[in-house]
Amino acid sequence: MSDPAVTFAFGDSPELQDELLALVLSGRKTATCGALRDFGDHEPVPVVGRRDVVLDGLGRRAAIIETVSIEMKRFDEVDAAFAREEGEGDLSYEYWREAHEAYFGRNGGYSPEMILVCERFRLVEVLDRNNTKRVNP
């Protein structure tokens, strides 16, 4: 594969990382988004077909996901269907909007016009978090 795997955690605190990982592992969370401004050399924009390693709140490898689609859209263009696929809270658009305004607000700033990288993914494998020898999928 030409695009190397990225190792990352969902969320910006160990508690949120574990909460969002649990949603992925349960099958409830099949989408995520990030501010385009936050991608760069350290974490490239996801690419369809790339498999990435998801970490838990302790930084242990927990799962492998595969990107199935990518869309760039403004924050205020995200729809209720995508918000539901993110799998958070009560699955409502209102919950998604409040949670993501707060998240982006504490991580570089929120604007309704900000461009988001909206990614849909599938869970490929659940990893043994005690297996420290595994480096990449």
Side-chain angles (χ1 to χ4, degrees), residues 21 25 53-56 60-64 125-127 129:
L21 173 62
L25 297 178
V53 179
V54 182
L55 304 175
D56 68 11
R60 299 175 297 183
R61 292 171 184 88
I64 298 172
E125 184 179 351
V126 178
L127 303 175
R129 295 186 213 183

Side-chain angles (χ1 to χ4, degrees), residues 18-31:
D18 283 339
E19 178 185 325
L20 296 177
L21 173 62
L23 294 173
V24 170
L25 297 178
S26 74
R28 181 170 160 162
K29 181 174 184 62
T30 59

Side-chain angles (χ1 to χ4, degrees), residues 57-86:
L58 295 176
R60 299 175 297 183
R61 292 171 184 88
I64 298 172
I65 61 170
E66 180 179 327
T67 302
V68 297
S69 74
I70 293 290
E71 290 181 275
M72 305 282 185
K73 47 176 75 174
R74 289 170 26 146
F75 184 97
D76 61 2
E77 293 174 334
V78 172
D79 61 21
F82 186 85
R84 199 169 32 258
E85 290 175 58
E86 285 229 29

Side-chain angles (χ1 to χ4, degrees), residues 88-100:
E88 300 171 33
D90 65 3
L91 305 180
S92 71
Y93 179 75
E94 293 73 23
Y95 180 92
W96 179 89
R97 186 173 181 96
E98 286 180 22
H100 284 76

